[in-house]
Amino acid sequence: KTMETTNAPAGTRAAKQLPKQQQKKVGANGRKCSLKKVSTALRYFLIIGGICNMTLFISINKSAPYDDGSNEMAATATTDSNKGRLMEIVSKNAEGLMNGNKGSIDNTVIKVTSKHPAKQPKDEDDNILRAYIEEPTDRDLWWNIKPLPIRNTTSESLKEIKYPQLNSCSRLLEQFPVDTAPVDDDPFLPWIHDVFPTYDGKYIQFVAQNRRRCRTGKAEGHIMVKMESQGALFQHVPIKRIPPQQKKQQNNDDNEDTEMRYRLSSHDEADDDGVSTRFICRFKPSMEETLSIHNVNYEFHAYRKTHKQLFCADCKDINSVYTSQLMFQCPVPEALQEVVREGTSVLNDYATLFVDIIPIRTPIRFGKPDRFFPPMYKDHENKKDPFNPHVEWGKDHILPRLIDSGRWANIPICKPPLIEHEPSAMEKIKKENLQLNEKGFGPKTHRLIGCVWASSEYHTRGERYNIKDGQRRLKEWLTYNFMTGFDHFYVYDNSAVHTQDSNLKPVTDLFPDKVTRVPWNAKICNNRPNNVDSPGERSSQYAAEASCKLRFGSHAEWIGAFDIDEYLVPMGKYKSVPELLDMMEDQGLNMLNFASYRAWPRRILIDKPKLLPPEKCGRWAKNCFDLTVPSNRTILQTYNCDRQPPGEKQKTMPAEKQLYNSDYVKLHFVHYSEVTELTQLNKTAMIESGRKWTYRIGTDPTSRFVDEINEGTMMHAKAVAYQDTGKWDEVCKHDKGFCRLGNPYPPGAYEAKIKVDEEGWTYNCWVNEKVENYWVPKLLDENPFLD
């Protein structure tokens, strides 16, 4: 099933065996060659060799059969200088090439070999995703010893877990083992939620979450200690490559070892691409290795926030929201960038290129975050108490062989996001010849997009209530937002976590080319309330937001971060959100903040209450009901009753949401633009940009709150669960309690301090007149989903 031809010169017998018309020459610069029909006489072998002194390896993998009728197979080639590229798709019309079935060649790929390749383990040839678990080392026996002891793990000591269910690129986000990842068993493995190539094919982007944030209660301190390695993944390490021959000389070792090795080093000793890294990335089948880079420097951000430490041994770290999303990239070897960019290595929905992620295992660095900065931040490094890598790690700490290291193996490299999810955007790029901008982002196919994590039904924090109106809300919300000027929405559908009976696809299908549905099956790791000992960590939501921004945000100028119960309302002279963006661009703003305060559904606009049995009403024990909005009325109008007077929300708001510049913001966390271009600048770069350097990050000078009366506001139409309607007929009257049904103040009543109407109903909210008189009628005219 496999054969290899090595360094056969041009014109050799292997090449001459091919028909003349198939002997198209390929230059040393890697120009493409093509083969037409492959003769059926080559029943089990496809021999290509001796062309331009190339090294080729052919593998037939029967574990991933292609669909009948397929007529292509991929071929990659590399020259001895390792500068080859993917060859042109080779015809796969040979009848009966495998098993006598037309068009059933099984994952036939010509693989790249390196000049000094590490050997791929035989048991990984099936390309099944694997996790190799390295038993956590005893903290006292390893972490606290200086210099750091060298690990003596072997491949035999690793525990292997296979994930054969991951077998489709188009379903990667549904099939990736997010909820079954063995991160608790090996905390150095990143808790991966998403992986995809960047638009230019130069990087493989990873989106992971910090598992250490999931369980942080007082009784869970032992878990916090065990999961410290998750924090270490946010911190860079410098490393130096040790070529095989050099390692032999250093150790006087006569044993054969052709694999590249790595040594922990100082910044000055490190390789140029190893100055600031955390993972070794090994690409398959070429077995080429690159070193990862973080999307942001988390330690420098902690320094700018004046946090005493990025992580600590005896605290929760839960308030540092920027330590939730772990984002890093693997540089793609130059020889593979074109095929990755074009997505042609994915054949009939199967990946033929893969990447392993090998974490570099060093103890987490507690203490001040400025003790060990990479060179670009060296001027800010702590001179009194610096981290000394030679003292902490030793001068000759060589990492174990990759095969002996815990790792993720065979992570599939699928198509870039626009090719996979939004072909209409790719057509626009080609038609209008759109290019990357001066910052390397883009091409920009949209001006304004929205990212939303939603579900047809869901459980509120603390698992208190089950809300089931997701489909209806999404229909109206999408219609409204397209009416106000959004170009495209990316809906991360989390329905499968809560129910197998429904999802959001029936709704998203109503908006072809305007809505991209992304099935997102990751669970929340902790759905508890925020005011308890082990507060909630909505890991699925945070990862979905990071995924959307990194997958699709690069192709948009602006992103709106709002939920499906949050309505962004242009106010004053503004009649669309793009008009607000014009204003922001004129004023040099990168972020516009909208205060968030929950609105109440108006009592006179909801369906007539039908009381539920007392046992369903929870603590109230009587008079609760399912609050529903009539099918011929909009949620926008029903919930148009803000709990604060016009323009007053930001004084007492519990939260905020944003419109933000997708290129400027590097890490967005639900409510906040946490890491930006500005916060990652060192002092010299900040001054060169024309801004004053301040040690502490203050309010971003390109950010402000919106003028709620003259520019825009946000109405938060959060659903009211039936448990919160208890005793509604009592607490909503005569100012006797906290009422969640809206009874709006009439004009002048608030100023006159009139609290109840003639029937005794307590006033508790204000109607937005522009919503009532302009946006609701407009929505009714354009909403095809209302009776």
Side-chain angles (χ1 to χ4, degrees), residues 358-643:
I358 302 93
I360 300 169
R361 297 172 185 248
T362 61
I364 190 172
R365 291 193 291 272
F366 292 127
K368 295 182 179 180
D370 59 354
R371 298 180 65 223
F372 195 53
F373 281 155
M376 70 176 296
Y377 299 125
K378 207 68 175 178
D379 292 342
H380 302 277
E381 194 168 73
N382 190 323
K383 301 299 189 295
K384 294 181 179 180
D385 182 29
F387 178 92
N388 188 326
H390 289 159
V391 172
E392 300 288 341
W393 302 331
K395 295 183 178 181
D396 298 301
H397 188 115
I398 298 178
L399 303 176
R401 295 184 308 162
L402 303 192
I403 196 174
D404 297 326
S405 304
R407 65 196 183 275
W408 282 107
N410 294 337
I411 298 172
I413 298 176
C414 295
K415 297 178 182 179
L418 290 191
I419 297 178
E420 182 68 57
H421 296 284
E422 201 177 348
S424 59
M426 291 300 299
E427 293 174 6
K428 181 177 181 179
I429 290 172
K430 294 177 181 178
K431 183 178 179 180
E432 301 180 16
N433 193 28
L434 301 178
Q435 302 295 324
L436 300 176
N437 62 19
E438 65 278 2
K439 295 181 180 179
F441 296 108
K444 301 298 185 184
T445 57
H446 302 297
R447 189 182 187 199
L448 174 63
I449 66 169
C451 294
V452 62
W453 175 78
S455 177
S456 58
E457 63 178 79
Y458 65 94
H459 295 275
T460 60
R461 287 185 182 272
E463 306 293 333
R464 292 180 63 213
Y465 313 135
N466 188 24
I467 308 296
K468 299 183 179 182
D469 61 354
Q471 286 188 345
R472 178 186 178 179
R473 282 180 173 268
L474 184 63
K475 287 179 186 178
E476 179 183 318
W477 187 79
L478 288 172
T479 302
Y480 172 82
N481 281 296
F482 288 131
M483 183 180 75
T484 60
F486 276 79
D487 298 324
H488 200 96
F489 275 94
Y490 302 91
V491 177
Y492 278 62
D493 188 352
N494 198 229
S495 301
V497 170
H498 307 281
T499 177
Q500 299 301 312
D501 297 329
S502 63
N503 56 43
L504 299 176
K505 190 175 185 299
V507 178
T508 58
D509 284 350
L510 297 171
F511 302 88
D513 295 328
K514 294 180 74 68
V515 176
T516 297
R517 174 180 174 265
V518 180
W520 188 259
N521 296 347
K523 296 178 181 178
I524 295 171
C525 72
N526 182 346
N527 197 33
R528 301 189 70 192
N530 284 330
N531 57 349
V532 296
D533 176 43
S534 182
E537 174 74 0
R538 290 194 159 185
S539 52
S540 175
Q541 179 182 7
Y542 310 151
E545 180 176 36
S547 168
C548 186
K549 184 193 179 306
L550 293 170
R551 270 184 176 263
F552 307 111
S554 177
H555 302 287
E557 297 174 16
W558 297 90
I559 298 178
F562 301 92
D563 296 330
I564 64 172
D565 59 3
E566 296 170 332
Y567 289 78
L568 194 165
V569 181
M571 295 288 288
K573 66 179 181 180
Y574 296 100
K575 295 184 178 181
S576 73
V577 180
E579 290 178 358
L580 284 174
L581 299 182
D582 292 339
M583 175 272 294
M584 293 176 66
E585 291 169 352
D586 291 342
Q587 296 182 14
L589 296 175
N590 286 309
M591 294 160 282
L592 193 62
N593 307 322
F594 293 79
S596 174
Y597 214 104
R598 189 172 175 180
W600 294 139
R602 284 187 270 178
R603 177 182 55 83
I604 62 173
L605 299 184
I606 63 174
D607 282 320
K608 184 177 180 180
K610 296 180 180 179
L611 299 184
L612 296 172
E615 60 269 17
K616 292 199 68 176
C617 296
R619 64 183 182 217
W620 294 104
K622 67 173 184 176
N623 291 2
C624 70
F625 64 95
D626 269 322
L627 192 154
T628 57
V629 178
S631 60
N632 63 345
R633 194 177 299 283
T634 64
I635 292 172
L636 176 66
Q637 182 180 26
T638 302
Y639 280 79
N640 180 20
C641 212
D642 267 325
R643 292 164 60 190

Side-chain angles (χ1 to χ4, degrees), residues 2 29 64 71 75 106 279 419 481 534-535 571 612 620 664 745:
T2 63
N29 62 355
N71 61 1
D106 292 344
F279 303 96
I419 297 178
N481 281 296
S534 182
M571 295 288 288
L612 296 172
W620 294 104
Y664 181 78
Y745 280 95

Side-chain angles (χ1 to χ4, degrees), residues 192-212:
I192 299 171
H193 282 60
D194 194 7
V195 53
F196 55 90
T198 57
Y199 171 80
D200 56 12
K202 293 182 178 180
Y203 300 95
I204 305 301
Q205 176 70 58
F206 287 84
V207 176
Q209 284 295 117
N210 182 358
R211 186 83 173 179
R212 189 174 188 247

Side-chain angles (χ1 to χ4, degrees), residues 88-108:
E88 187 174 316
I89 296 297
V90 182
S91 172
K92 199 180 74 169
N93 285 334
E95 295 185 12
L97 186 61
M98 286 297 297
N99 300 328
N101 295 323
K102 181 175 180 179
S104 61
I105 295 178
D106 292 344
N107 204 16
T108 307

